[in-house]
C-alpha cells in the first residue's frame, strides 16, 4: 500500500468513526459501537475501554471479542487488580498513544490457566481525553501483533480524541437535561402553589362564610365536610409541592430533610460527617429515599423522634435513617413488604448501591443506604 493509499484509508476510518460518534446519545452504547467499528476498519481483533474517574478508580466500560482468558468469571481479570497501562495513567505518565510491551492481565490469564489468550501478548493503549480533561483508556490488540507503528498509533490517538470529545458532549447534554428537569419541576411546583393551592383555600373560605349565612343544620354539616375535604386537599398539595421542590435542598440534603421533618411534625437529629457537596443525581435520590422514610415514620412508627446520619468516606456516601417507634416483623430473605420500601431499594440499586432494612416490633426501624460516588460503582 502506498503512502497516499494509507492516508486515504486513515481518513476514511476517521470519517466512519466520526459518523458513529455524532449519532451517539448514550456513553455505554457509544463506546461499544465505536470500539466494534474501529476494530473492523483497522483489521484488529480485540479491544477494550476503561473509564477512569478523577480519583483513579477504573471500570471496564466496553470490550469486543476478548479471548476467553480475559472473560473468566464474568470478565474478572478485566475488572479487578492493576495493570501497567492503568498504573501509568493514574500516575499521570500516559500522555499519548504507546505500545505496551506486554499485558499484565494476559500474563495472569496464562499463569492461572483462565482460558485461551488467542496469541495476544501485547496491545496499544491510548488515553481518552478532550482538551485537558481525561476520561480513560482505549486498548487494542491482535494475535501475534507485538508492535504498532507510529502511523497506527497516530490514527488511534485521533480516534481516542474523537471518543473523548463525544464523551464530553454526551455528559454536557445529560447535565443540561437534568438541569431542565429541575427547572420544570420548580415551574410546576410554583404553578401548583399559585393556582390550585389558592383555589382550594378560596373553597375553604367560601364554605366558612356560607355556614354563617344559614341556620339549616344539614347544610352546615355539608359545608363543614367541604371545609375538611379542602383542608385535606391543601395538605396533600403542600406535600406534593415539597416533593417537586423541597425547601432547603439547595443548602444540602440534610437541611432539606430537617425542613421536611418539621413540616411533618417530626423532631430530627442529624449527624453529618465529611458531606459537603454531592453530585446532583445522588442528592436527589437521597432526598427521595429520606422523604419516603420520614413519611413512613409519620404514618406508622408512632413516634416523632428520628435520627439521620450522613457521611462521605472514600468512594461512597452513606445515609442512615432510624426511629425508635413500633417497628414491624421483617425478614430480609423475603420480599420487601411495601411499595414505598421497595421503591427506596430500587432507587439505591439503580445507582449500584447497597440498601439494608432492619426492623423489629417495639424496637423501631433502621434504614442503611450506601451509594458509590461514581456512576460506575
Amino acid at each position: 500500500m502506498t503512502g497516499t493509499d494509507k492516508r486515504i484509508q486513515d481518513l476514511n476510518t476517521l470519517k466512519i468513526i466520526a459518523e458513529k460518534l455524532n449519532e451517539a446519545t448514550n456513553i455505554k452504547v457509544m463506546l461499544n459501537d465505536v470500539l466494534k467499528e474501529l476494530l473492523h476498519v483497522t483489521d484488529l481483533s480485540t479491544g477494550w475501554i476503561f473509564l477512569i474517574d478523577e480519583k483513579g478508580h477504573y471500570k471496564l466500560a466496553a470490550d469486543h471479542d476478548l479471548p476467553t482468558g480475559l472473560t473468566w468469571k464474568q470478565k474478572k481479570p478485566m475488572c479487578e487488580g492493576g495493570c501497567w497501562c492503568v498504573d501509568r495513567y493514574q500516575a499521570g505518565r500516559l500522555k499519548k498513544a504507546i505500545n505496551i510491551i506486554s499485558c499484565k492481565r494476559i500474563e495472569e490469564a496464562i499463569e492461572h490457566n483462565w482460558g485461551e489468550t488467542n496469541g495476544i501478548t501485547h496491545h496499544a493503549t491510548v488515553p481518552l481525553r478532550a482538551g485537558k480533561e481525561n476520561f480513560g483508556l482505549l486498548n487494542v490488540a491482535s494475535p501475534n501483533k507485538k508492535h504498532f507503528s507510529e502511523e497506527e498509533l497516530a490514527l488511534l490517538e485521533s480516534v481516542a480524541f474523537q471518543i473523548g470529545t463525544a464523551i464530553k458532549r454526551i455528559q454536557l447534554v445529560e447535565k443540561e437535561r437534568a438541569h431542565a428537569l429541575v427547572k420544570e419541576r420548580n415551574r410546576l411546583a410554583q404553578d401548583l402553589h399559585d393556582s390550585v393551592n389558592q383555589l382550594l383555600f378560596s373553597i375553604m373560605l367560601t364554605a366558612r362564610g356560607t355556614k354563617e349565612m344559614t341556620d339549616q343544620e344539614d347544610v352546615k354539616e355539608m359545608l363543614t365536610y367541604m371545609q375538611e375535604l379542602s383542608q385535606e386537599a391543601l395538605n396533600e398539595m403542600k406535600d406534593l409541592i415539597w416533593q417537586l421542590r423541597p425547601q432547603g435542598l439547595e443548602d444540602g440534603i440534610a437541611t432539606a430533610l430537617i425542613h421536611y421533618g418539621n413540616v411533618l411534625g417530626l423532631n430530627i437529629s442529624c449527624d453529618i460527617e465529611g458531606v459537603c457537596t454531592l453530585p446532583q443525581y445522588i442528592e436527589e435520590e437521597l432526598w427521595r429515599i429520606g422523604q419516603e422514610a420520614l413519611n413512613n415514620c409519620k404514618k406508622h412508627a408512632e413516634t416523632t423522634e428520628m435520627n439521620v446520619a450522613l457521611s462521605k468516606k472514600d468512594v461512597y456516601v452513606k445515609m442512615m435513617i432510624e426511629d425508635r417507634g413500633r417497628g414491624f416483623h421483617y425478614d430480609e430473605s423475603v420480599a420487601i413488604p411495601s411499595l414505598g420500601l421497595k421503591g427506596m431499594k430500587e432507587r439505591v440499586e439503580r445507582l449500584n448501591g447497597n440498601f439494608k432494612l432492619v426492623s423489629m416490633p417495639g424496637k423501631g426501624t433502621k434504614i442503611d443506604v450506601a451509594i458509590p460516588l461514581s456512576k460506575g460503582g
Side-chain angles (χ1 to χ4, degrees):
M1 182 183 295
T2 66
T4 301
D5 291 338
K6 181 66 171 61
R7 283 192 294 274
I8 292 173
Q9 184 185 49
D10 288 351
L11 289 172
N12 187 54
T13 298
L14 292 174
K15 175 178 176 292
I16 293 171
I17 297 298
E19 289 172 349
K20 279 284 182 184
L21 293 173
N22 287 335
E23 297 169 358
T25 58
N26 177 280
I27 290 178
K28 182 176 178 61
V29 174
M30 177 269 288
L31 291 177
N32 278 288
D33 286 349
V34 76
L35 179 60
K36 182 178 180 180
E37 191 66 42
L38 173 64
L39 296 175
H40 173 70
V41 297
T42 57
D43 291 326
L44 296 169
S45 68
T46 189
W48 58 95
I49 294 174
F50 291 129
L51 290 183
I52 306 174
D53 65 22
E54 63 277 3
K55 294 185 178 180
H57 304 111
Y58 76 90
K59 70 170 181 177
L60 180 66
D63 63 86
H64 181 72
D65 203 19
L66 293 175
T68 55
L70 296 181
T71 61
W72 178 74
K73 284 195 175 180
Q74 298 181 324
K75 304 176 186 177
K76 185 177 180 180
M78 305 298 292
C79 300
E80 296 182 4
C83 63
W84 293 306
C85 60
V86 172
D87 291 345
R88 288 187 188 185
Y89 177 95
Q90 293 171 334
R93 295 187 292 113
L94 191 55
K95 303 295 185 182
K96 62 179 183 177
I98 62 171
N99 283 288
I100 294 297
I101 297 174
S102 59
C103 177
K104 184 179 178 183
R105 299 178 194 276
I106 287 285
E107 290 180 354
E108 289 181 345
I110 295 172
E111 179 183 351
H112 298 290
N113 295 315
W114 288 337
E116 290 295 326
T117 55
N118 300 343
I120 294 173
T121 56
H122 300 60
H123 66 79
T125 188
V126 197
L128 303 175
R129 64 182 187 273
K132 295 182 179 180
E133 193 168 356
N134 296 311
F135 300 103
L137 293 171
L138 164 67
N139 297 298
V140 292
S142 272
N144 304 313
K145 185 174 180 64
K146 297 183 178 182
H147 180 77
F148 288 79
S149 67
E150 290 298 320
E151 291 80 7
E152 288 175 314
L153 292 177
L155 175 62
L156 291 174
E157 202 162 49
S158 298
V159 171
F161 181 75
Q162 286 185 322
I163 295 173
T165 303
I167 292 173
K168 185 62 177 178
R169 174 181 62 80
I170 294 173
Q171 287 180 343
L172 290 173
V173 170
E174 290 177 346
K175 186 176 181 180
E176 182 61 30
R177 284 175 180 167
H179 177 73
L181 179 60
V182 172
K183 187 176 180 181
E184 179 61 18
R185 276 199 208 134
N186 290 342
R187 184 197 65 78
L188 180 57
Q190 190 65 53
D191 287 348
L192 289 172
H193 180 272
D194 292 343
S195 57
V196 181
N197 235 27
Q198 295 302 323
L199 286 172
L200 289 171
F201 189 65
S202 297
I203 292 172
M204 284 183 60
L205 291 179
T206 301
R208 182 187 303 170
T210 306
K211 279 172 63 177
E212 298 175 358
M213 298 170 60
T214 181
D215 294 326
Q216 298 182 42
E217 291 302 321
D218 57 341
V219 175
K220 284 187 175 184
E221 185 178 336
M222 185 59 68
L223 291 170
T224 299
Y225 182 58
M226 288 176 61
Q227 280 184 273
E228 292 172 352
L229 284 179
S230 299
Q231 183 61 60
E232 185 178 340
L234 272 172
N235 292 338
E236 291 289 339
M237 185 60 62
K238 193 172 185 179
D239 287 345
L240 179 58
I241 291 171
W242 259 93
Q243 291 174 32
L244 289 169
R245 188 178 61 183
Q247 180 185 353
L249 190 55
E250 66 276 4
D251 297 321
I253 180 66
T255 303
L257 290 175
I258 290 172
H259 274 301
Y260 190 62
N262 291 337
V263 170
L264 297 178
L266 300 174
N267 181 25
I268 298 177
S269 63
C270 203
D271 182 23
I272 304 174
E273 182 183 352
V275 177
C276 182
T277 58
L278 293 172
Q280 181 179 325
Y281 71 96
I282 291 180
E283 195 167 59
E284 289 196 0
E285 293 296 349
L286 288 177
W287 156 246
R288 301 298 174 189
I289 293 164
Q291 183 184 48
E292 180 66 29
L294 298 186
N295 285 333
N296 286 343
C297 179
K298 175 67 175 178
K299 293 176 182 177
H300 309 298
E302 297 181 358
T303 182
T304 59
E305 302 297 319
M306 294 196 72
N307 299 320
V308 175
L310 285 161
S311 63
K312 186 167 73 170
K313 295 180 179 178
D314 299 327
V315 295
Y316 277 85
V317 58
K318 298 182 179 181
M319 181 171 72
M320 184 278 295
I321 301 179
E322 182 180 29
D323 68 68
R324 294 297 180 184
R326 61 184 296 185
F328 59 94
H329 287 286
Y330 173 63
D331 181 353
E332 63 180 11
S333 65
V334 299
I336 288 181
S338 79
L339 287 176
L341 291 170
K342 184 179 179 183
M344 294 161 69
K345 184 173 187 290
E346 288 174 350
R347 285 182 182 276
V348 174
E349 290 178 345
R350 277 202 301 269
L351 298 177
N352 296 321
N354 299 314
F355 176 90
K356 185 176 182 180
L357 169 66
V358 178
S359 187
M360 292 182 65
K363 295 188 176 181
T365 300
K366 180 180 177 182
I367 292 170
D368 279 307
V369 169
I371 295 175
L373 290 170
S374 63
K375 289 188 176 181

